[in-house]
Amino acid sequence: MENTDHRVAQTSAPILGVLAQRWSPRSFDSTVTIDEKVLTSALEAARWSASAANTQPWRLVVTRRGTSEFDTIVAALMGFNTTWASSAAVLIVAIAETIDGDGKPLRWAEYDLGQAMAHLSVQAHSDGLHVHQMGGIFVDKLSEAFHLDARFVPVSAVALGVLGSPDLLDEKARERELAPRSRRPLDGTILVNA
Ligand SMILES: Cc1cc2nc3c(=O)[nH]c(=O)nc-3n(C[C@H](O)[C@H](O)[C@H](O)COP(=O)(O)O)c2cc1C
């Protein structure tokens, strides 16, 4: 088991342990397959996320390492992501339903999708997995490969699996893996605190 204490958030106020401990690794153990029950729980957590008017404007392509669909996602990753993400046990394409079946724009689709992926990440982390979301994807390649109607837009790819050793990474990724996590102070985020 890797010691990941250096990745725990140094918070200015107490927060839930799982939120402080969640982080996005690039080293995944490529020898393990996914625990299907844990994967289903992560997907179920996404399902129960809040959304505007309960429209649930998210769709997922869920693929396991070793399948051709997984390889299709790997082939649609950009640059740096191709160097590490293929070790994950699962790759997911997170898709926003931007227009509903009646042609009405779903204005909060991407917002709601992001929230669903946050649920998924937190549940997965709580169950001993790690998640790394990626915006570096070729959207058109994914739309074409998975025959998506134009109203369904791939927004991110999500790597999910068991944490691996930083030693498995190239130097650039290893440096990032071992660096402390940082955030802008809370004061810089809250514009008005009346
Ligand atoms: C929408 C989104 C897109 C991201 N895109 C990438 C990406 O393409 N490649 C990558 O290595 N990390 C990507 N990340 C990971 C972020 O860099 C990471 O979450 C951030 O540095 C904070 O680190 P933490 O998750 O460990 O707290 C992305 C994260 C999100 C939420």
Side-chain angles (χ1 to χ4, degrees), residues 30 32-43 60-74 85-93 129 146 158-161:
S30 64
V32 291
T33 50
I34 195 71
D35 179 327
E36 291 292 336
K37 280 194 182 147
V38 175
L39 175 61
T40 304
S41 291
L43 299 171
L60 305 175
V61 170
V62 180
T63 71
R64 291 151 186 82
R65 198 180 52 248
T67 64
S68 63
E69 291 86 352
F70 182 100
D71 294 341
T72 297
I73 299 177
V74 173
S86 58
S87 297
V90 168
L91 285 176
I92 295 171
V93 185
L129 295 179
F146 294 111
V158 182
L160 189 148

Side-chain angles (χ1 to χ4, degrees), residues 4-116:
T4 56
D5 291 353
H6 65 292
R7 303 303 281 173
V8 178
Q10 301 300 306
T11 64
S12 60
I15 65 173
L16 294 175
V18 64
L19 294 178
Q21 288 150 20
R22 181 215 60 81
W23 65 286
S24 307
R26 293 188 177 83
S27 182
F28 288 97
D29 186 340
S30 64
T31 65
V32 291
T33 50
I34 195 71
D35 179 327
E36 291 292 336
K37 280 194 182 147
V38 175
L39 175 61
T40 304
S41 291
L43 299 171
E44 186 68 3
R47 177 182 170 227
W48 282 99
S49 179
S51 63
N54 201 19
T55 43
Q56 306 162 65
W58 46 71
R59 299 291 188 280
L60 305 175
V61 170
V62 180
T63 71
R64 291 151 186 82
R65 198 180 52 248
T67 64
S68 63
E69 291 86 352
F70 182 100
D71 294 341
T72 297
I73 299 177
V74 173
L77 297 177
M78 287 182 176
F80 181 48
N81 293 335
T82 60
T83 65
W84 56 269
S86 58
S87 297
V90 168
L91 285 176
I92 295 171
V93 185
I95 299 162
E97 181 187 14
T98 57
I99 299 171
D100 76 9
D102 299 326
K104 187 176 147 231
L106 294 169
R107 204 188 123 200
W108 295 281
E110 293 196 355
Y111 182 96
D112 291 341
L113 174 67
Q115 189 159 217

Side-chain angles (χ1 to χ4, degrees), residues 177-189:
E177 199 85 340
L178 297 172
R181 292 169 60 232
S182 67
R183 290 296 189 270
R184 184 174 59 228
L186 204 48
D187 281 355
T189 292

Side-chain angles (χ1 to χ4, degrees), residues 119-188:
H119 269 217
L120 177 144
S121 302
V122 171
Q123 181 68 45
H125 197 93
S126 174
D127 288 335
L129 295 179
H130 282 73
V131 169
H132 197 132
Q133 303 179 60
M134 290 166 275
I137 54 170
F138 290 105
V139 172
D140 292 348
K141 270 192 188 179
L142 290 167
S143 295
E144 197 185 324
F146 294 111
H147 312 293
L148 300 178
D149 190 276
R151 65 192 187 90
F152 292 104
V153 178
V155 173
S156 62
V158 182
L160 189 148
V162 171
L163 185 65
S165 164
D167 298 338
L168 298 168
L169 296 170
D170 65 27
E171 198 182 329
K172 180 180 166 193
R174 187 165 54 247
E175 246 173 49
R176 293 194 190 185
E177 199 85 340
L178 297 172
R181 292 169 60 232
S182 67
R183 290 296 189 270
R184 184 174 59 228
L186 204 48
D187 281 355

